[in-house]
Amino acid sequence: MKNLASLSSNLPSPIGTGTAMAAAASPTSQGPKGNQILRYLNAIKRVKWLVLLLTLVGLGGGYLFSRLRPQRFVVSGQILIAPSESPTFVGDQWSVYFKNYAVITPVVVARRLYIKGPKRIGGPPLPLGPSGPNAGLFNGFTLAPSFDLGSYRLKIASDGKSWQLTNINLNKVEHGVVGDSVGRLFGYAWLPQIGKPWYGQTFEFDVMTPREAADGVLADLTVTPMPARLPRFLNLTLKGQESNQTAGILNDLMSTFVQSAGVTKLSDVNGAVRGLDSQLAIATSRMNADDKALQQFQIKTITAPRDVFQVTPGLQSTTPSAYGTYIKTSTETDQLRTQRRDLKSALDKLIAGAPGATDLYASNSVVTSSSPQLLSFVTELSQDELQYNRLLVNYTAIAQTPTVGGVPGVNMPRLHERIEQLRTEDIPRLTNAVLARLDEVIARGDSANTTQATELHQIPTRSITEMELMRNKTIDENTVGDLTKKYTEAKAQQAVAVPDVQIQNSAVAPLYPEKDKTPFLIAGGAIVGLALGIMIALLLDATDKRVRYADQVTSGLGLTILGVIPEIRRAKGEHPSAEEAAQAIEAFRTVRLNLAHALGEGSVLLTISSPSPGDGKSLVSSNLALSFAEAGYRTLLIDGDSRRGELHRTFGAERRPGLLDYLAGELPIDDLLRSTTHPQLKLITGGSRKRNAPELLGTSRMRELLASMREKFDVVLVDTPPLGAGIDPFVLATMTGNLMLVLRAGATERDLAEAKLQIVDQLPIRLVGAVLNDVRATMDDYKYYSYSYGYGAVDETAGALTAGSTD
């Protein structure tokens, strides 16, 4: 290494850093800018089999998912809500009531939707209820009030004589013989009809609570009320995996709903009949009591002499009129007093919390004439109490939530608050006002009776008592007549009471599922697989450390691309076409032209190396030497690879004696040169392998050899070991002063090349550029460096190329 410093005078041009000199070698050192789209396409092409594999995997995954995804059948039905003067429900309450557990749960129990099974291997998730070809196993399966939930396994003996039922969660086992009830230990009443096809088989299934199964039905049930007009409709849809079962469930739900609504309607009518019946019984009892009192009084006084009015002189003409007025006023006053008493009693019951709206209705003649607003409040209270009590029966914990089953419902707290306000504030305030007005009317009647009594003080006591008893009987008869009329009307309404709803359109099992998404799932899986493959291809490309694109050489490494050598299949043992051979010839001609221009006039003295083994530097060296020779240059090719030189095989010559023998003083210079197949090309082989070869390459004999050969030849090319093999290429490059790198597309590691170039930058070496080797025709990024097909020189033949080592 001590001789390196003295070799600077042998350089043909000024020394600078390799990067700077490479840039100065050609005004187009950066080359054409790479197309990102083409780069992405090349990245995908490199791993096309991986992309194809992932696409096929995605395709298969989409198909598998379509098989595992349950089919969804959608069935629909319609309920008609008939107009009614006293509807069972109003507004959206119909929708809320349809989603009531009182409607859903009976259907769940009847259809045994609390069972999921028998389980199967593969396929979509199991629907609610027994399913599959073995669903008949669960015929007659019923639940006791208390039963064990969980997963079960029923094993039937191979001879069909016994069975074993195991609760997998509790690890409890029950045994029995075929014909006995199954599952009594767990709270089931089940007597399956076990046939021969089930002998020796094992069935697994799950049992849940009816409420859980009802929640599953509610999740797939949609109730859509039509606009608020008469008649109204409820549009119903239900989704499920099995067409016939789903249609059957919806039809059962509609039938249960209509039946339950009819029961609720009849319950309302029966409540009104019971209230009127109670009032009629009380009024009839009172009437009978007053009639009996009158009869007893008349019997008691029938033998007594009849009283004769003692008319005061001057009153003869006024006595009958005054007497009639007295009787009328007294009767009206007593009626008002009775009505006031009943109204006050009803108010006290209402304030105390008893359902007093019915009693207030009984006083509607007074209420209607005295306060229409009070009657409106009483009507509102009656309807609100009826609605509140009905909802409390139909819903669980509805008083705490304003929604039921996800459907907007009645705000129970607000309804209760309104009822309390009517009971304690609005109705008492207006009722007290009516009572006050009644008190005034009664006081005026009493005052009038007192005045008239002065005129009629002569009327006998027996007559007055009899008239009072007759008056009471008349009042009672009128009351009983009114109540009898109302009771008769209520009974008639009870006799003809029909539900407000009926089934308009029953559910019909569809032939096809909701949407056959199988093609979309398969296509989606293929797209996902393709996208994943592309992403992996781009990721591999982004993390790839090998030289693949021209801009990685020009921009990344800062090297001028002197030429791009296409893939030479002859070097790989294959036979290239004439067009491919022409492309290779033109490529070496381009390298030759760029080198002649870059190195200027005079002899060309150039070291050729590569960052790593296998980059093809020897192939480039030999064919480049042939190209110079073909152009008429006296060319010398020196095999400076003292470690693994193969140029002697390329040209069919003996390796020994050669360069190292000369440097060791064992061979005269005149015996170094060997002839080749081309008269203008001479070869110096590597010679005998020697351990001190790197030191011999740096001696003055090597410098003298190069100086001597430079005078005899126009072009001297030195093939060296790779830069990563040792010091040899750096030593020879300092001897020649010029270095050309050979980079193999898709093989040379950029990190290694950058590391070795940093060493070159520290030495007196001119880095003239790089040659890209083994570029495939499919690599679109290098299309700018290729040549048009069909324009090969006809006198040139592919035989001008010598296939050699790919090292």
PDB file of all heavy atoms in Angstrom, residues 3-15 603 605 698-708 710 731-738 764:
ATOM      1  N   ASN A   3       2.958   2.140  -2.103  1.00  0.00           N
ATOM      2  CA  ASN A   3       3.171   2.656  -3.449  1.00  0.00           C
ATOM      3  C   ASN A   3       1.978   3.403  -4.021  1.00  0.00           C
ATOM      4  O   ASN A   3       2.037   3.931  -5.110  1.00  0.00           O
ATOM      5  CB  ASN A   3       3.523   1.496  -4.397  1.00  0.00           C
ATOM      6  CG  ASN A   3       4.830   0.834  -4.013  1.00  0.00           C
ATOM      7  OD1 ASN A   3       5.746   1.518  -3.573  1.00  0.00           O
ATOM      8  ND2 ASN A   3       4.901  -0.479  -4.183  1.00  0.00           N
ATOM      9  N   LEU A   4       0.831   3.399  -3.297  1.00  0.00           N
ATOM     10  CA  LEU A   4      -0.366   4.011  -3.842  1.00  0.00           C
ATOM     11  C   LEU A   4      -0.213   5.498  -4.028  1.00  0.00           C
ATOM     12  O   LEU A   4      -0.672   6.070  -5.014  1.00  0.00           O
ATOM     13  CB  LEU A   4      -1.565   3.711  -2.930  1.00  0.00           C
ATOM     14  CG  LEU A   4      -2.027   2.247  -2.903  1.00  0.00           C
ATOM     15  CD1 LEU A   4      -3.161   2.113  -1.910  1.00  0.00           C
ATOM     16  CD2 LEU A   4      -2.433   1.784  -4.280  1.00  0.00           C
ATOM     17  N   ALA A   5       0.443   6.153  -3.121  1.00  0.00           N
ATOM     18  CA  ALA A   5       0.520   7.615  -3.175  1.00  0.00           C
ATOM     19  C   ALA A   5       1.314   8.090  -4.376  1.00  0.00           C
ATOM     20  O   ALA A   5       1.048   9.152  -4.933  1.00  0.00           O
ATOM     21  CB  ALA A   5       1.139   8.137  -1.884  1.00  0.00           C
ATOM     22  N   SER A   6       2.252   7.331  -4.835  1.00  0.00           N
ATOM     23  CA  SER A   6       3.113   7.771  -5.932  1.00  0.00           C
ATOM     24  C   SER A   6       2.500   7.534  -7.298  1.00  0.00           C
ATOM     25  O   SER A   6       3.120   7.874  -8.293  1.00  0.00           O
ATOM     26  CB  SER A   6       4.452   7.011  -5.846  1.00  0.00           C
ATOM     27  OG  SER A   6       4.201   5.620  -5.969  1.00  0.00           O
ATOM     28  N   LEU A   7       1.296   6.933  -7.356  1.00  0.00           N
ATOM     29  CA  LEU A   7       0.709   6.615  -8.642  1.00  0.00           C
ATOM     30  C   LEU A   7      -0.172   7.718  -9.189  1.00  0.00           C
ATOM     31  O   LEU A   7      -0.716   7.582 -10.275  1.00  0.00           O
ATOM     32  CB  LEU A   7      -0.120   5.324  -8.528  1.00  0.00           C
ATOM     33  CG  LEU A   7       0.680   4.074  -8.167  1.00  0.00           C
ATOM     34  CD1 LEU A   7      -0.254   2.903  -8.009  1.00  0.00           C
ATOM     35  CD2 LEU A   7       1.729   3.784  -9.210  1.00  0.00           C
ATOM     36  N   SER A   8      -0.284   8.796  -8.479  1.00  0.00           N
ATOM     37  CA  SER A   8      -1.183   9.854  -8.929  1.00  0.00           C
ATOM     38  C   SER A   8      -0.722  10.476 -10.224  1.00  0.00           C
ATOM     39  O   SER A   8      -1.517  10.952 -11.018  1.00  0.00           O
ATOM     40  CB  SER A   8      -1.301  10.925  -7.843  1.00  0.00           C
ATOM     41  OG  SER A   8      -0.034  11.477  -7.567  1.00  0.00           O
ATOM     42  N   SER A   9       0.577  10.444 -10.491  1.00  0.00           N
ATOM     43  CA  SER A   9       1.065  11.064 -11.725  1.00  0.00           C
ATOM     44  C   SER A   9       0.669  10.277 -12.956  1.00  0.00           C
ATOM     45  O   SER A   9       0.754  10.778 -14.075  1.00  0.00           O
ATOM     46  CB  SER A   9       2.601  11.173 -11.660  1.00  0.00           C
ATOM     47  OG  SER A   9       3.148   9.867 -11.480  1.00  0.00           O
ATOM     48  N   ASN A  10       0.203   9.021 -12.780  1.00  0.00           N
ATOM     49  CA  ASN A  10      -0.167   8.200 -13.929  1.00  0.00           C
ATOM     50  C   ASN A  10      -1.598   8.439 -14.402  1.00  0.00           C
ATOM     51  O   ASN A  10      -2.009   7.918 -15.426  1.00  0.00           O
ATOM     52  CB  ASN A  10      -0.024   6.716 -13.582  1.00  0.00           C
ATOM     53  CG  ASN A  10       1.429   6.348 -13.311  1.00  0.00           C
ATOM     54  OD1 ASN A  10       2.329   6.964 -13.874  1.00  0.00           O
ATOM     55  ND2 ASN A  10       1.631   5.359 -12.459  1.00  0.00           N
ATOM     56  N   LEU A  11      -2.362   9.216 -13.636  1.00  0.00           N
ATOM     57  CA  LEU A  11      -3.760   9.413 -13.997  1.00  0.00           C
ATOM     58  C   LEU A  11      -3.867  10.276 -15.228  1.00  0.00           C
ATOM     59  O   LEU A  11      -3.139  11.249 -15.388  1.00  0.00           O
ATOM     60  CB  LEU A  11      -4.506  10.078 -12.833  1.00  0.00           C
ATOM     61  CG  LEU A  11      -4.591   9.217 -11.565  1.00  0.00           C
ATOM     62  CD1 LEU A  11      -5.258   9.998 -10.460  1.00  0.00           C
ATOM     63  CD2 LEU A  11      -5.322   7.933 -11.849  1.00  0.00           C
ATOM     64  N   PRO A  12      -4.770   9.958 -16.123  1.00  0.00           N
ATOM     65  CA  PRO A  12      -4.879  10.707 -17.361  1.00  0.00           C
ATOM     66  C   PRO A  12      -5.609  12.029 -17.199  1.00  0.00           C
ATOM     67  O   PRO A  12      -5.619  12.828 -18.107  1.00  0.00           O
ATOM     68  CB  PRO A  12      -5.672   9.761 -18.264  1.00  0.00           C
ATOM     69  CG  PRO A  12      -6.489   8.938 -17.317  1.00  0.00           C
ATOM     70  CD  PRO A  12      -5.658   8.787 -16.097  1.00  0.00           C
ATOM     71  N   SER A  13      -6.258  12.253 -16.093  1.00  0.00           N
ATOM     72  CA  SER A  13      -7.003  13.508 -15.911  1.00  0.00           C
ATOM     73  C   SER A  13      -7.003  13.866 -14.455  1.00  0.00           C
ATOM     74  O   SER A  13      -6.629  13.065 -13.607  1.00  0.00           O
ATOM     75  CB  SER A  13      -8.435  13.333 -16.430  1.00  0.00           C
ATOM     76  OG  SER A  13      -9.050  12.254 -15.755  1.00  0.00           O
ATOM     77  N   PRO A  14      -7.378  15.115 -14.149  1.00  0.00           N
ATOM     78  CA  PRO A  14      -7.348  15.551 -12.747  1.00  0.00           C
ATOM     79  C   PRO A  14      -8.229  14.665 -11.867  1.00  0.00           C
ATOM     80  O   PRO A  14      -9.212  14.089 -12.313  1.00  0.00           O
ATOM     81  CB  PRO A  14      -7.899  16.981 -12.817  1.00  0.00           C
ATOM     82  CG  PRO A  14      -7.673  17.412 -14.220  1.00  0.00           C
ATOM     83  CD  PRO A  14      -7.793  16.182 -15.059  1.00  0.00           C
ATOM     84  N   ILE A  15      -7.846  14.610 -10.621  1.00  0.00           N
ATOM     85  CA  ILE A  15      -8.539  13.746  -9.671  1.00  0.00           C
ATOM     86  C   ILE A  15      -9.571  14.575  -8.913  1.00  0.00           C
ATOM     87  O   ILE A  15      -9.350  15.711  -8.543  1.00  0.00           O
ATOM     88  CB  ILE A  15      -7.530  13.136  -8.681  1.00  0.00           C
ATOM     89  CG1 ILE A  15      -6.474  12.360  -9.451  1.00  0.00           C
ATOM     90  CG2 ILE A  15      -8.239  12.240  -7.683  1.00  0.00           C
ATOM     91  CD1 ILE A  15      -7.026  11.258 -10.280  1.00  0.00           C
ATOM     92  N   SER A 603      -5.350   6.993 -25.195  1.00  0.00           N
ATOM     93  CA  SER A 603      -5.621   5.604 -24.840  1.00  0.00           C
ATOM     94  C   SER A 603      -6.609   5.537 -23.683  1.00  0.00           C
ATOM     95  O   SER A 603      -6.608   6.365 -22.778  1.00  0.00           O
ATOM     96  CB  SER A 603      -4.319   4.890 -24.461  1.00  0.00           C
ATOM     97  OG  SER A 603      -3.411   4.908 -25.544  1.00  0.00           O
ATOM     98  N   LEU A 605      -7.737   3.674 -20.475  1.00  0.00           N
ATOM     99  CA  LEU A 605      -7.212   2.812 -19.418  1.00  0.00           C
ATOM    100  C   LEU A 605      -8.295   2.739 -18.339  1.00  0.00           C
ATOM    101  O   LEU A 605      -8.579   3.723 -17.663  1.00  0.00           O
ATOM    102  CB  LEU A 605      -5.909   3.382 -18.854  1.00  0.00           C
ATOM    103  CG  LEU A 605      -5.107   2.486 -17.908  1.00  0.00           C
ATOM    104  CD1 LEU A 605      -4.730   1.182 -18.604  1.00  0.00           C
ATOM    105  CD2 LEU A 605      -3.859   3.205 -17.414  1.00  0.00           C
ATOM    106  N   GLY A 698      -0.091  -4.106  -6.427  1.00  0.00           N
ATOM    107  CA  GLY A 698       0.256  -2.724  -6.098  1.00  0.00           C
ATOM    108  C   GLY A 698       1.725  -2.397  -6.269  1.00  0.00           C
ATOM    109  O   GLY A 698       2.160  -1.305  -5.870  1.00  0.00           O
ATOM    110  N   THR A 699       2.486  -3.294  -6.911  1.00  0.00           N
ATOM    111  CA  THR A 699       3.914  -3.039  -7.067  1.00  0.00           C
ATOM    112  C   THR A 699       4.183  -2.181  -8.295  1.00  0.00           C
ATOM    113  O   THR A 699       3.293  -1.949  -9.130  1.00  0.00           O
ATOM    114  CB  THR A 699       4.665  -4.371  -7.197  1.00  0.00           C
ATOM    115  OG1 THR A 699       4.162  -5.061  -8.342  1.00  0.00           O
ATOM    116  CG2 THR A 699       4.467  -5.233  -5.937  1.00  0.00           C
ATOM    117  N   SER A 700       5.417  -1.766  -8.408  1.00  0.00           N
ATOM    118  CA  SER A 700       5.818  -0.934  -9.547  1.00  0.00           C
ATOM    119  C   SER A 700       5.776  -1.721 -10.848  1.00  0.00           C
ATOM    120  O   SER A 700       5.593  -1.145 -11.926  1.00  0.00           O
ATOM    121  CB  SER A 700       7.229  -0.380  -9.323  1.00  0.00           C
ATOM    122  OG  SER A 700       8.154  -1.451  -9.129  1.00  0.00           O
ATOM    123  N   ARG A 701       5.932  -3.064 -10.767  1.00  0.00           N
ATOM    124  CA  ARG A 701       5.864  -3.861 -11.974  1.00  0.00           C
ATOM    125  C   ARG A 701       4.483  -3.754 -12.619  1.00  0.00           C
ATOM    126  O   ARG A 701       4.368  -3.736 -13.847  1.00  0.00           O
ATOM    127  CB  ARG A 701       6.197  -5.336 -11.671  1.00  0.00           C
ATOM    128  CG  ARG A 701       7.671  -5.573 -11.374  1.00  0.00           C
ATOM    129  CD  ARG A 701       7.952  -7.042 -11.081  1.00  0.00           C
ATOM    130  NE  ARG A 701       7.685  -7.901 -12.226  1.00  0.00           N
ATOM    131  CZ  ARG A 701       8.584  -8.142 -13.199  1.00  0.00           C
ATOM    132  NH1 ARG A 701       9.783  -7.586 -13.159  1.00  0.00           N
ATOM    133  NH2 ARG A 701       8.253  -8.953 -14.197  1.00  0.00           N
ATOM    134  N   MET A 702       3.457  -3.679 -11.796  1.00  0.00           N
ATOM    135  CA  MET A 702       2.111  -3.525 -12.344  1.00  0.00           C
ATOM    136  C   MET A 702       1.960  -2.166 -12.994  1.00  0.00           C
ATOM    137  O   MET A 702       1.372  -2.031 -14.076  1.00  0.00           O
ATOM    138  CB  MET A 702       1.065  -3.702 -11.225  1.00  0.00           C
ATOM    139  CG  MET A 702      -0.368  -3.661 -11.734  1.00  0.00           C
ATOM    140  SD  MET A 702      -0.702  -5.081 -12.825  1.00  0.00           S
ATOM    141  CE  MET A 702      -2.302  -4.583 -13.489  1.00  0.00           C
ATOM    142  N   ARG A 703       2.520  -1.131 -12.337  1.00  0.00           N
ATOM    143  CA  ARG A 703       2.435   0.200 -12.918  1.00  0.00           C
ATOM    144  C   ARG A 703       3.216   0.254 -14.232  1.00  0.00           C
ATOM    145  O   ARG A 703       2.751   0.835 -15.214  1.00  0.00           O
ATOM    146  CB  ARG A 703       3.025   1.205 -11.924  1.00  0.00           C
ATOM    147  CG  ARG A 703       2.916   2.653 -12.394  1.00  0.00           C
ATOM    148  CD  ARG A 703       3.602   3.569 -11.430  1.00  0.00           C
ATOM    149  NE  ARG A 703       4.993   3.152 -11.261  1.00  0.00           N
ATOM    150  CZ  ARG A 703       5.843   3.673 -10.377  1.00  0.00           C
ATOM    151  NH1 ARG A 703       5.431   4.595  -9.539  1.00  0.00           N
ATOM    152  NH2 ARG A 703       7.083   3.261 -10.295  1.00  0.00           N
ATOM    153  N   GLU A 704       4.358  -0.394 -14.279  1.00  0.00           N
ATOM    154  CA  GLU A 704       5.151  -0.396 -15.508  1.00  0.00           C
ATOM    155  C   GLU A 704       4.435  -1.174 -16.604  1.00  0.00           C
ATOM    156  O   GLU A 704       4.469  -0.798 -17.781  1.00  0.00           O
ATOM    157  CB  GLU A 704       6.515  -1.034 -15.228  1.00  0.00           C
ATOM    158  CG  GLU A 704       7.376  -0.201 -14.285  1.00  0.00           C
ATOM    159  CD  GLU A 704       8.637  -0.921 -13.872  1.00  0.00           C
ATOM    160  OE1 GLU A 704       8.778  -2.127 -14.259  1.00  0.00           O
ATOM    161  OE2 GLU A 704       9.449  -0.336 -13.128  1.00  0.00           O
ATOM    162  N   LEU A 705       3.762  -2.289 -16.199  1.00  0.00           N
ATOM    163  CA  LEU A 705       3.025  -3.077 -17.185  1.00  0.00           C
ATOM    164  C   LEU A 705       1.926  -2.230 -17.827  1.00  0.00           C
ATOM    165  O   LEU A 705       1.755  -2.229 -19.058  1.00  0.00           O
ATOM    166  CB  LEU A 705       2.439  -4.325 -16.520  1.00  0.00           C
ATOM    167  CG  LEU A 705       1.536  -5.182 -17.402  1.00  0.00           C
ATOM    168  CD1 LEU A 705       2.341  -5.763 -18.563  1.00  0.00           C
ATOM    169  CD2 LEU A 705       0.887  -6.285 -16.584  1.00  0.00           C
ATOM    170  N   LEU A 706       1.170  -1.515 -17.011  1.00  0.00           N
ATOM    171  CA  LEU A 706       0.079  -0.692 -17.545  1.00  0.00           C
ATOM    172  C   LEU A 706       0.615   0.411 -18.451  1.00  0.00           C
ATOM    173  O   LEU A 706       0.023   0.711 -19.505  1.00  0.00           O
ATOM    174  CB  LEU A 706      -0.749  -0.100 -16.395  1.00  0.00           C
ATOM    175  CG  LEU A 706      -1.583  -1.103 -15.578  1.00  0.00           C
ATOM    176  CD1 LEU A 706      -2.270  -0.380 -14.412  1.00  0.00           C
ATOM    177  CD2 LEU A 706      -2.620  -1.784 -16.470  1.00  0.00           C
ATOM    178  N   ALA A 707       1.721   1.015 -18.051  1.00  0.00           N
ATOM    179  CA  ALA A 707       2.295   2.086 -18.871  1.00  0.00           C
ATOM    180  C   ALA A 707       2.750   1.541 -20.210  1.00  0.00           C
ATOM    181  O   ALA A 707       2.566   2.171 -21.265  1.00  0.00           O
ATOM    182  CB  ALA A 707       3.457   2.734 -18.131  1.00  0.00           C
ATOM    183  N   SER A 708       3.354   0.337 -20.180  1.00  0.00           N
ATOM    184  CA  SER A 708       3.837  -0.274 -21.415  1.00  0.00           C
ATOM    185  C   SER A 708       2.678  -0.650 -22.327  1.00  0.00           C
ATOM    186  O   SER A 708       2.701  -0.395 -23.534  1.00  0.00           O
ATOM    187  CB  SER A 708       4.682  -1.512 -21.086  1.00  0.00           C
ATOM    188  OG  SER A 708       5.035  -2.201 -22.260  1.00  0.00           O
ATOM    189  N   ARG A 710      -0.267   0.615 -22.380  1.00  0.00           N
ATOM    190  CA  ARG A 710      -0.996   1.800 -22.829  1.00  0.00           C
ATOM    191  C   ARG A 710      -0.376   2.344 -24.110  1.00  0.00           C
ATOM    192  O   ARG A 710      -1.080   2.920 -24.955  1.00  0.00           O
ATOM    193  CB  ARG A 710      -0.975   2.860 -21.729  1.00  0.00           C
ATOM    194  CG  ARG A 710      -1.865   4.059 -22.028  1.00  0.00           C
ATOM    195  CD  ARG A 710      -1.951   4.966 -20.834  1.00  0.00           C
ATOM    196  NE  ARG A 710      -2.928   6.013 -21.036  1.00  0.00           N
ATOM    197  CZ  ARG A 710      -3.232   6.953 -20.159  1.00  0.00           C
ATOM    198  NH1 ARG A 710      -2.621   6.923 -18.975  1.00  0.00           N
ATOM    199  NH2 ARG A 710      -4.124   7.878 -20.432  1.00  0.00           N
ATOM    200  N   VAL A 731      -6.927  -1.158  -5.608  1.00  0.00           N
ATOM    201  CA  VAL A 731      -5.535  -0.992  -6.022  1.00  0.00           C
ATOM    202  C   VAL A 731      -5.442  -0.843  -7.535  1.00  0.00           C
ATOM    203  O   VAL A 731      -4.774   0.057  -8.054  1.00  0.00           O
ATOM    204  CB  VAL A 731      -4.700  -2.187  -5.544  1.00  0.00           C
ATOM    205  CG1 VAL A 731      -3.297  -2.126  -6.130  1.00  0.00           C
ATOM    206  CG2 VAL A 731      -4.644  -2.236  -4.021  1.00  0.00           C
ATOM    207  N   LEU A 732      -6.113  -1.705  -8.281  1.00  0.00           N
ATOM    208  CA  LEU A 732      -6.058  -1.645  -9.741  1.00  0.00           C
ATOM    209  C   LEU A 732      -6.706  -0.369 -10.272  1.00  0.00           C
ATOM    210  O   LEU A 732      -6.269   0.192 -11.283  1.00  0.00           O
ATOM    211  CB  LEU A 732      -6.729  -2.879 -10.333  1.00  0.00           C
ATOM    212  CG  LEU A 732      -5.987  -4.205 -10.099  1.00  0.00           C
ATOM    213  CD1 LEU A 732      -6.815  -5.371 -10.595  1.00  0.00           C
ATOM    214  CD2 LEU A 732      -4.628  -4.170 -10.802  1.00  0.00           C
ATOM    215  N   ALA A 733      -7.785   0.110  -9.566  1.00  0.00           N
ATOM    216  CA  ALA A 733      -8.434   1.345 -10.006  1.00  0.00           C
ATOM    217  C   ALA A 733      -7.513   2.536  -9.821  1.00  0.00           C
ATOM    218  O   ALA A 733      -7.498   3.471 -10.637  1.00  0.00           O
ATOM    219  CB  ALA A 733      -9.743   1.551  -9.246  1.00  0.00           C
ATOM    220  N   THR A 734      -6.731   2.527  -8.760  1.00  0.00           N
ATOM    221  CA  THR A 734      -5.767   3.630  -8.596  1.00  0.00           C
ATOM    222  C   THR A 734      -4.667   3.548  -9.642  1.00  0.00           C
ATOM    223  O   THR A 734      -4.097   4.566 -10.039  1.00  0.00           O
ATOM    224  CB  THR A 734      -5.151   3.582  -7.185  1.00  0.00           C
ATOM    225  OG1 THR A 734      -4.552   2.314  -6.980  1.00  0.00           O
ATOM    226  CG2 THR A 734      -6.208   3.833  -6.126  1.00  0.00           C
ATOM    227  N   MET A 735      -4.353   2.323 -10.101  1.00  0.00           N
ATOM    228  CA  MET A 735      -3.345   2.171 -11.145  1.00  0.00           C
ATOM    229  C   MET A 735      -3.852   2.734 -12.468  1.00  0.00           C
ATOM    230  O   MET A 735      -3.120   3.446 -13.171  1.00  0.00           O
ATOM    231  CB  MET A 735      -2.995   0.687 -11.314  1.00  0.00           C
ATOM    232  CG  MET A 735      -2.233   0.089 -10.150  1.00  0.00           C
ATOM    233  SD  MET A 735      -0.525   0.665 -10.159  1.00  0.00           S
ATOM    234  CE  MET A 735       0.157  -0.310  -8.834  1.00  0.00           C
ATOM    235  N   THR A 736      -5.109   2.408 -12.823  1.00  0.00           N
ATOM    236  CA  THR A 736      -5.635   2.882 -14.114  1.00  0.00           C
ATOM    237  C   THR A 736      -6.183   4.301 -14.006  1.00  0.00           C
ATOM    238  O   THR A 736      -6.247   5.028 -15.000  1.00  0.00           O
ATOM    239  CB  THR A 736      -6.765   1.967 -14.584  1.00  0.00           C
ATOM    240  OG1 THR A 736      -7.832   1.979 -13.625  1.00  0.00           O
ATOM    241  CG2 THR A 736      -6.264   0.534 -14.757  1.00  0.00           C
ATOM    242  N   GLY A 737      -6.590   4.702 -12.785  1.00  0.00           N
ATOM    243  CA  GLY A 737      -7.143   6.043 -12.582  1.00  0.00           C
ATOM    244  C   GLY A 737      -8.611   6.140 -12.912  1.00  0.00           C
ATOM    245  O   GLY A 737      -9.242   7.164 -12.621  1.00  0.00           O
ATOM    246  N   ASN A 738      -9.195   5.126 -13.540  1.00  0.00           N
ATOM    247  CA  ASN A 738     -10.596   5.165 -13.940  1.00  0.00           C
ATOM    248  C   ASN A 738     -11.274   3.870 -13.494  1.00  0.00           C
ATOM    249  O   ASN A 738     -10.693   2.780 -13.581  1.00  0.00           O
ATOM    250  CB  ASN A 738     -10.741   5.302 -15.455  1.00  0.00           C
ATOM    251  CG  ASN A 738     -10.071   6.554 -15.977  1.00  0.00           C
ATOM    252  OD1 ASN A 738     -10.467   7.665 -15.659  1.00  0.00           O
ATOM    253  ND2 ASN A 738      -9.017   6.371 -16.785  1.00  0.00           N
ATOM    254  N   PRO A 764      -7.748   8.277  -5.162  1.00  0.00           N
ATOM    255  CA  PRO A 764      -7.564   9.017  -6.430  1.00  0.00           C
ATOM    256  C   PRO A 764      -8.083   8.220  -7.613  1.00  0.00           C
ATOM    257  O   PRO A 764      -7.317   7.735  -8.452  1.00  0.00           O
ATOM    258  CB  PRO A 764      -6.055   9.215  -6.490  1.00  0.00           C
ATOM    259  CG  PRO A 764      -5.498   8.055  -5.740  1.00  0.00           C
ATOM    260  CD  PRO A 764      -6.457   7.768  -4.636  1.00  0.00           C
TER     261      PRO A 764
END
